Amino acid sequence: MKIIKKILLVIVIIVAIVLVVAFFMPKKYAVEREITINKPVDSVFNYVRSLKNQNEFSVWANMDPKMKSTFTGTDGQVGSISAWESEVENVGSGEQEITKITEGERIDFALRFKEPMNDTAEGFMSTETAPGNQTKVKWGINGVMPYPWNVMLPFMKMDEMIGNDLQKGLENLKTKMEK
C-alpha cells in the first residue's frame, strides 16, 4: 500500500510540475518564409490572392490528388472560402477564409482545421516590389497552442515542420510564375 501511495505521489508531483512549467511557457507560434520571384508585384499578387490558385502551389493541397475542394464566395475577395477534405492524415479537412486584403500588398486568412485535429490559425501572404521588377513574397502562419498543451511547443519544432512546407510551396509558386 505504501508503494502505491508513493507512486501516486510521484505522478501528482510530475503532473503539477508540468502544469506549472506550461503556465510560464509561450503559447504562440509564428512561422514565415519568403522567396523572390522574377515577375512584377501586380501579377504575383493577383495570382496568389486566388484561393483556387493557392491549391496549385500549396504542398498540402498537392499531397492528395483525390482531395475534395469546394469554394464559396467570390474567389480572391474578402469572405471567400476554400474548404478541403482528404483521407491523407497530413492534409485532413478544414477551410481557409480570406479575412482582409490590402490591395497589391497582403492577403490575410483564417485557417480552421477540423481533422486530424480541431484547431485554428491565422495566415498571410504578402508581396512587395524587389529590385529588377521582381517580387518578394512572404507566406506566414501563426497560432496559439492552448494551456497546458503549450508545454509541447518547444518539442514540436513548428518552424521546421510548417516552415519546410511553406518554403516548398513558395518554390512551387516561383516555378509556376516564372514559366
Side-chain angles (χ1 to χ4, degrees):
M1 189 66 150
K2 281 186 175 185
I3 292 177
I4 293 175
K5 284 183 180 180
K6 286 182 181 183
I7 291 172
L8 287 174
L9 181 60
V10 168
I11 291 172
V12 167
I13 290 171
I14 290 171
V15 169
I17 290 170
V18 169
L19 291 174
V20 169
V21 168
F23 185 76
F24 294 102
M25 302 269 309
K27 293 176 181 68
K28 296 180 180 180
Y29 64 88
V31 180
E32 276 185 25
R33 293 294 186 270
E34 67 180 54
I35 200 163
T36 301
I37 297 175
N38 217 3
K39 287 285 185 181
V41 72
D42 58 334
S43 64
V44 175
F45 182 82
N46 288 330
Y47 184 81
V48 299
R49 77 182 295 160
S50 164
L51 295 175
K52 289 178 184 173
N53 289 347
Q54 288 184 23
N55 276 356
E56 293 182 17
F57 61 85
S58 164
V59 169
W60 301 292
N62 289 301
M63 282 182 186
D64 181 7
K66 296 178 183 176
M67 178 180 78
K68 180 183 173 199
S69 297
T70 56
F71 300 91
T72 56
T74 304
D75 192 19
Q77 300 296 316
V78 171
S80 62
I81 297 173
S82 166
W84 68 90
E85 290 181 35
S86 171
E87 298 296 321
V88 175
E89 185 178 357
N90 288 343
V91 179
S93 66
E95 61 185 23
Q96 173 180 330
E97 177 180 2
I98 296 178
T99 57
K100 181 179 177 185
I101 297 176
T102 305
E103 201 58 47
E105 295 177 14
R106 184 175 164 124
I107 303 128
D108 291 281
F109 39 86
L111 296 163
R112 296 181 284 267
F113 305 102
K114 297 174 184 171
E115 295 290 332
M117 64 184 151
N118 193 347
D119 195 15
T120 60
E122 296 175 348
F124 74 90
M125 291 194 84
S126 67
T127 57
E128 69 180 70
T129 301
N133 205 24
Q134 296 181 328
T135 303
K136 182 168 35 169
V137 180
K138 286 185 185 177
W139 193 359
I141 296 177
N142 61 72
V144 176
M145 182 78 72
Y147 172 86
W149 305 112
N150 63 308
V151 77
M152 298 186 320
L153 203 50
F155 306 106
M156 293 180 72
K157 299 179 181 177
M158 297 296 269
D159 190 70
E160 185 180 309
M161 184 171 60
I162 295 172
N164 290 343
D165 289 343
L166 292 178
Q167 190 64 47
K168 180 64 178 153
L170 287 171
E171 291 165 6
N172 293 343
L173 173 64
K174 179 179 177 73
T175 299
K176 186 163 225 32
M177 292 297 300
E178 291 181 356
K179 274 186 176 178

